[in-house]
C-alpha cells in the first residue's frame, strides 16, 4: 500500500525537506562558527595577560552559556509551535539566531571597551541559545509530520546531515580565511566575516520558511480543536517518562555531535599541536563522512526500527572514544590516522543522531509534541552536551592526559545505556497524528499494528484503526 501523510494543500515532501534543510543549515553554520573561532575569540574578548589555556576555557565557557539558555528557548518556542503552528516557531528561531550572530560580528573587543566586551558576547550567546532551543525539535516536528510513515528515518536524516554540512561549510570557510589572511588580519577583522554572513542567510531562510504551509498533523490537531493552551503543563503531567527518555538519548546524541562538530578541532590545535588549517581540514573530512552516513542510518532505522539502532550507537560510545582519542593523540597528529579515528565516531554518531531526531516526534502526542520534546532535548543539551567542550579541554589540561576527554563520552553512555535498554520503546510506524497517547497508555508503548510492516518479526495484537495518516 502507498504511504503518505499528505493532505490537500500540503507542501510537497521535497519542498519541506529543502525548507528545513536551508534553515537548519543557517542555524548551525551560525552556531558552529563560534566554536571554530573559539581560540581567537578567547584572545580578543578576554584580558591580554590571560594564558592561552585560560583564554580558551573562558571562550568555551561562553560557548556553553548559549546551551544553558536552550531550555528557556524550548519553553518559549515549544509552546509557540504547539499553539500557533510549527512554521511560526521555525520562523522565530531563524530570525533570532540571525540577529544575534550578526551582532557578534559587530561587537567591540576587550582592548576597546574592557569588561563590556565579554558581557555583550554572553548576551548574544544567550539569544543564540534561545533560538537553538527551538530549532532542532521544531525542525524535527515539521519535517517528520510532513513525511510518509515508512520513510521517517530517511527524511529525518536531513536534519542531522544538514547540521553536519553547516559545520563542514563553517570549517572550510574558516580554513579559507586562515589560508588567505595573515594572522594580523584574521585577528583584526577576518574573524568577523562568517558572523556577518548570518544576516543574508537568515533572510533567505526566513523567506523560504514563511512560504511553507502547516504540517498535515498540525492541521489535524486544529481541525479536531485539540490545540493545547498550556502544552508545557500537560507535557510534565502526562509525558514525563518520554521526556526523561529524551534526556537520555539526547545527552548521548548531543555530546557526541558537539565533540565531532567543535571540540575535536580545538582539541587537535591546543592538545595535539596540529596547525589550525590542518585541524580544520581533518574536521571537514570527518564530518563529510558523517553527513554521508546519516541517510544510511535513517534508511536502516526505517527497516530495523529506532530502538535497536539507538542502542547499538550508544554501545559504540561506550567502546570507541578511548581508542579514538588514543589514536588522535599518539600518532603526532597525522592526517590519515586522525581522520580514520574520527570516522569511527561518525559511524556511531549517525546511528544515535538520526534515531533521536525521529523519536523526538514519535515519542509524543501531537498536541504538545513541540513543547514536550523541546523540554527533554534542551535539558540534555544545556546541562550535559553543552559543557562537553569545556569539560573535555579542562580534563586534558588538568590531568595532562590527552586521552582523558574520552571519559566524558564513555561515562555518559554508560549511564544512559541501562535506561535506554530497559525503557526505550520501538516507535517506528507509530501513528503520529494521534493525541492523548499518555492517557491511552501509549506514551511508552508500542503501536504494533502500525509497526508490523516496518520492523520484521513483530506481530500486531489487533487490527490497526484507520487514521488520517494513510498507510
Amino acid at each position: 500500500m502507498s504511504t503518505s501523510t499528505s493532505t490537500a494543500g500540503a507542501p510537497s515532501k521535497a519542498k519541506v525537506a529543502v525548507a528545513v534543510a536551508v534553515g537548519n543549515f543557517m542555524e548551525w553554520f551560525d552556531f558552529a562558527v563560534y566554536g571554530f573561532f573559539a581560540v581567537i575569540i578567547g584572545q580578543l574578548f578576554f584580558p591580554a595577560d590571560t594564558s592561552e589555556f585560560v583564554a580558551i576555557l573562558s571562550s568555551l565557557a561562553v560557548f556553553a552559556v548559549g546551551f544553558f539558555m536552550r531550555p528557556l528557548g524550548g519553553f518559549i518556542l515549544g509552546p509557540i509551535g504547539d499553539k500557533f503552528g510549527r512554521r511560526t516557531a521555525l520562523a522565530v528561531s531563524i530570525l533570532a539566531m540571525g540577529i544575534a550572530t550578526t551582532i557578534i560580528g559587530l561587537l567591540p573587543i576587550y582592548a576597546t571597551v574592557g569588561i563590556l566586551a565579554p558581557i555583550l558576547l554572553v548576551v548574544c550567546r544567550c539569544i543564540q541559545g534561545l533560538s537553538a532551543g527551538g530549532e532542532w525539535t521544531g525542525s524535527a516536528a515539521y519535517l517528520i509530520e510532513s513525511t510518509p510513515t515508512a520513510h521517517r528515518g530517511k527524511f529525518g536524516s536531513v536534519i542531522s546531515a544538514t547540521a553536519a554540512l553547516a559545520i563542514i561549510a563553517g570549517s572550510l570557510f574558516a580554513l579559507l580565511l586562515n589560508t588567505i589572511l595573515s594572522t594580523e588580519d584574521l585577528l583584526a577583522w577576518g574573524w568577523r566575516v562568517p558572523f556577518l554572513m548570518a544576516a543574508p542567510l537568515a533572510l533567505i531562510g526566513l523567506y523560504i520558511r514563511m512560504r511553507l504551509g502547516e504540517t498535515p498533523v498540525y492541521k489535524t490537531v486544529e481541525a479536531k480543536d485539540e490545540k493545547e493552551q498550556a502544552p508545557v503543563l500537560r507535557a510534565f503531567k502526562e509525558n514525563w517518562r518520554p521526556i526523561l527518555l529524551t534526556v537520555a538519548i539526547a545527552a548521548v546524541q548531543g555530546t557526541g555531535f558537539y565533540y565531532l562538530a567543535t571540540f575535536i578541532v580545538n582539541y587537535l590545535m591546543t592538545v595535539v599541536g596540529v596547525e589550525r588549517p590542518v585541524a580544520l581540514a581533518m574536521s571537514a573530512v570527518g564530518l563529510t563522512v558523517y553527513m554521508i552516513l546519516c541517510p544510511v542510518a535513517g534508511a536502516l532505522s526505517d527497516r530495523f526500527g529506532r530502538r535497536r539502532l539507538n542502542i547499538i550507537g550508544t554501545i559504540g560510545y561506550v567502546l570507541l572514544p578511548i581508542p579514538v582519542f588514543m589514536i588522535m593523540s599518539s600518532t603526532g597528529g597525522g592526517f590519515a590516522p586522525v581522520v580514520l579515528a574520527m570516522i569511527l565516531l561518525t559511524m556511531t554518531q549517525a546511528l544515535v543522531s538520526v534515531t533521536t531526531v525521529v523519536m523526538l516526534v514519535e515519542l509524543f502526542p501531537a498536541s504538545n509534541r513541540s513543547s514536550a520534546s523541546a523540554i527533554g532535548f534542551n535539558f540534555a543539551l544545556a546541562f550535559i552536551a553543552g559543557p562537553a567542550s569545556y569539560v573535555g579541554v579542562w580534563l586534558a589540561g588538568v590531568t595532562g592526559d590527552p586521552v582523558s576527554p574520552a571519559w566524558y563520552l564513555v561515562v555518559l553512555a554508560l549511564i544512559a545505556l541501562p535506561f535506554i535498554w530497559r525503557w526505550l520503546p520501538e516507535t517506528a510506524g507509530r501513528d503520529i497524528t494521534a493525541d492523548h497517547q499518555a492517557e491511552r497508555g501509549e506514551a511508552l508503548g508500542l503501536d504494533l499494528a502500525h509497526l508490523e510492516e516496518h520492523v520484521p518479526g513483530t506481530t500486531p495484537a489487533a487490527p490497526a484503526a484507520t487514521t488520517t495518516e494513510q498507510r
Side-chain angles (χ1 to χ4, degrees), residues 71 124 141 150 239 269 283 310 342 468:
C124 290
N239 296 284
M269 289 187 291
S283 175
N310 193 272
M342 289 185 66
T468 55

Side-chain angles (χ1 to χ4, degrees), residues 11 19 29 53 132 146 191 279 286 326 363 446 449:
F29 180 86
F53 177 64
S146 305
W191 69 272
M326 289 178 64
L363 278 170
L446 218 31

Side-chain angles (χ1 to χ4, degrees), residues 450-464:
H450 285 277
L451 186 60
E452 181 186 21
E453 67 184 69
H454 301 285
V455 183
T458 57
T459 304

